[in-house]
Amino acid sequence: MAGINQNYKKLAAGYLFPEIARRTKEFQKKYPDRELKRLGIGNTTEALTPAIVEGLIKGVNNLADPSTYSGYGDEQGNTTLRRVLSEYYNSKGITLSPDDFFISDGAKPDSSNIQSIFSPDSVIAIQDPAYPVYVDSNVISGRTGEYSSIIGEYDGLIYMPCTEENNFFPDIPDKKVDLIYLCSPNNPTGAVATHKQLAGFVKYARENKSVIIFDAAYSEYISDLSLPKSIFEIEGAKECALEINSLSKFAGFTGVRLGWTVVPEELIVEGTKPGEVRDMWNRRQCTFFNGASNIVQEGALAVFSEEGLKESGNLVNYYMENAKIIMKGVTSIGITAYGGVNAPYVWIKTPGGISSWDFFDKLLSETGVIGTPGSGFGPGGEGYFRLSAFGHREDIEAAVNSIKKDLKI
Ligand SMILES: *Cc1c(COP(=O)(O)O)cnc(C)c1O
């Protein structure tokens, strides 16, 4: 008799966005004339830029012509794109070989799939709060116990608190863990790790033979040149870290879909030689994945052209201007806010210390603005609230104006 994977039943998440939708719907029913302003989701809103559209069209045209048509490509990705990516890292002083790059359909799939190449009994450490995928993928693969709704934690997971006191970057674990998920710039807190902070984790990982899974999905939002955009800027990281990134937030590819994972040949774990971990990821991708879309990979090549990089940089600047407007607006009425400078998220401390969900209701009813309760990203997010800078300028301005005018604090 067939059975289901019982681990799915342990999942506590799936609760956040449906609950936001439920409360929003209820509000709309009660006040059909009130206008809603959404600062809730981390989804891009601005159109693809011209050079990139041209690249995508080239990809389509290649398929329309028998002399340039291609079917299945390499599971690891287009050879030219892998080389271009390695050159992009090299241009920033990070030496990686094209063979270290694996092109995929996004950072979310990669960050949930990567756990499958590691031992089922690995001890997992995550930042709290965090992007929910790291936790959920390990719950489904059986690396945790049950979820406790009282403390909001899964048994067996190591939560690394990211608080005001530690500037939202966790302290080094005080016990031995195997896989460490780090995301910088961070979703949801908008915090960016310094060289020194990452160097501390790299040192720990090398001493404990742990692996750092580094999610750099927002790396291009870093404008402060002193902050690292890649874990591989840290000496020794290639032996203990892999990195996941994507064009979703950099070039508006959220719906187009293209990401990559860097597994350096040097990366080793207990009992492996250099290259073996990389071979494992290659094996996983060749078994379960049939390569990213050839059309999309043409679009990705266009992102890394001179014009494409310039246009993508402008796109990032547009969202960061939104972030500035949000930051300025909320702090002008006395709200304490973090992030928003090198990341497209503003992480606000709920005024008066009310709960994340109470603030959600208050903000919605007083201003019509929808944000994301911090507690949805883990117990450490309680008492905080995420505002997203992804949106059209006029919508961001309207939301900020309502907050300034109507929020009672
Ligand atoms: C948006 C986001 C991603 C991107 O995922 P894609 O699958 O590439 O769209 C990855 N990690 C974090 C933390 C994100 O917020």
Side-chain angles (χ1 to χ4, degrees):
M1 193 166 58
I4 59 161
N5 175 353
Q6 295 292 332
N7 293 320
Y8 275 82
K9 291 194 176 168
K10 293 183 195 162
L11 288 173
Y15 164 78
L16 176 64
F17 288 100
E19 181 60 16
I20 290 175
R22 192 189 67 76
R23 293 190 191 208
T24 305
K25 221 160 142 190
E26 206 168 82
F27 178 80
Q28 278 176 308
K29 216 159 82 193
K30 223 159 120 190
Y31 309 101
D33 300 330
R34 295 271 309 268
E35 195 197 338
L36 291 179
K37 302 163 202 88
R38 298 177 193 273
L39 296 186
I41 40 171
N43 199 355
T44 50
T45 54
E46 302 311 297
L48 292 174
T49 60
I52 295 158
V53 171
E54 208 175 292
L56 288 164
I57 290 172
K58 183 179 168 211
V60 173
N61 286 335
N62 284 345
L63 297 184
D65 183 338
S67 68
T68 47
Y69 174 82
S70 60
Y72 290 126
D74 295 337
E75 287 90 345
Q76 303 82 2
N78 175 319
T79 310
T80 311
L81 181 56
R82 297 174 84 196
R83 180 174 51 74
V84 163
L85 272 168
S86 74
E87 284 167 2
Y88 188 64
Y89 278 71
N90 294 351
S91 75
K92 298 181 183 303
I94 300 164
T95 318
L96 289 161
S97 135
D99 295 339
D100 298 333
F101 287 81
F102 297 84
I103 314 296
S104 73
D105 56 348
K108 182 177 180 179
D110 284 1
S111 57
S112 62
N113 291 330
I114 196 71
Q115 46 75 29
S116 82
I117 67 168
F118 296 104
S119 161
D121 56 15
S122 304
V123 175
I124 311 294
I126 48 125
Q127 287 172 285
D128 178 25
Y131 185 54
V133 176
Y134 318 137
V135 171
D136 290 358
S137 57
N138 281 292
V139 171
I140 291 169
S141 52
R143 291 196 182 86
T144 72
E146 295 297 328
Y147 179 74
S148 157
S149 54
I150 299 161
I151 51 170
E153 293 185 3
Y154 287 94
D155 199 28
L157 267 189
I158 307 296
Y159 290 79
M160 302 186 292
C162 298
T163 63
E164 239 177 340
E165 288 70 35
N166 60 24
N167 291 316
F168 302 99
F169 189 79
D171 299 335
I172 310 281
D174 54 10
K175 44 178 138 349
K176 194 170 162 4
V177 301
D178 302 315
L179 300 180
I180 303 164
Y181 288 81
L182 292 179
C183 176
S184 172
N186 190 273
N187 175 9
T189 66
V192 185
T194 63
H195 279 272
K196 194 164 165 236
Q197 287 169 327
L198 291 183
F201 269 83
V202 166
K203 180 168 180 281
Y204 170 91
R206 289 170 61 114
E207 283 168 7
N208 291 278
K209 292 213 167 112
S210 330
V211 172
I212 297 168
I213 296 167
F214 191 76
D215 185 341
Y218 298 94
S219 57
E220 298 292 342
Y221 285 77
I222 297 177
S223 55
D224 181 340
L225 298 174
S226 74
L227 295 168
K229 291 185 169 184
S230 165
I231 186 81
F232 301 122
E233 291 181 40
I234 311 304
E235 207 185 316
K238 280 193 239 172
E239 285 105 273
C240 67
L242 58 86
E243 181 164 299
I244 296 168
N245 206 331
S246 99
L247 294 182
S248 283
K249 313 297 163 38
F250 178 29
F253 272 42
T254 39
V256 182
R257 311 304 304 144
L258 190 119
W260 64 91
T261 288
V262 185
V263 187
E265 183 177 19
E266 292 87 339
L267 178 62
I268 46 167
V269 297
E270 192 74 50
T272 69
K273 293 194 293 290
E276 276 188 65
V277 179
R278 192 177 72 178
D279 288 347
M280 286 285 285
W281 182 241
N282 186 46
R283 184 62 208 260
R284 192 272 163 209
Q285 290 301 76
C286 290
T287 307
F288 289 105
F289 183 60
N290 234 345
S293 151
N294 41 17
I295 299 171
V296 171
Q297 293 189 85
E298 276 302 328
L301 280 171
V303 173
F304 291 98
S305 68
E306 199 183 325
E307 204 47 40
L309 285 173
K310 206 190 301 161
E311 290 174 1
S312 302
N314 289 340
L315 200 59
V316 166
N317 289 342
Y318 179 88
Y319 292 127
M320 287 315 297
E321 187 60 34
N322 286 349
K324 220 180 264 173
I325 292 166
I326 299 171
M327 270 306 252
K328 196 165 161 234
V330 295
T331 53
S332 76
I333 55 166
I335 288 178
T336 305
Y338 297 94
V341 180
N342 292 286
Y345 296 117
V346 173
W347 187 238
I348 70 177
K349 200 171 174 179
T350 62
I354 64 174
S355 82
S356 299
W357 277 112
D358 284 349
F359 186 69
F360 176 92
D361 291 334
K362 179 181 164 66
L363 188 68
L364 180 58
S365 68
E366 292 175 3
T367 71
V369 173
I370 300 167
T372 311
S375 55
F377 299 95
E382 183 56 278
Y384 288 89
F385 199 79
R386 191 190 76 174
L387 295 177
S388 162
F390 292 112
H392 302 311
R393 180 68 42 81
E394 60 272 25
D395 296 340
I396 300 283
E397 279 169 346
V400 170
N401 286 339
S402 313
I403 293 174
K404 279 165 68 174
K405 190 161 71 62
D406 299 323
L407 187 68
K408 299 183 191 73
I409 55 169

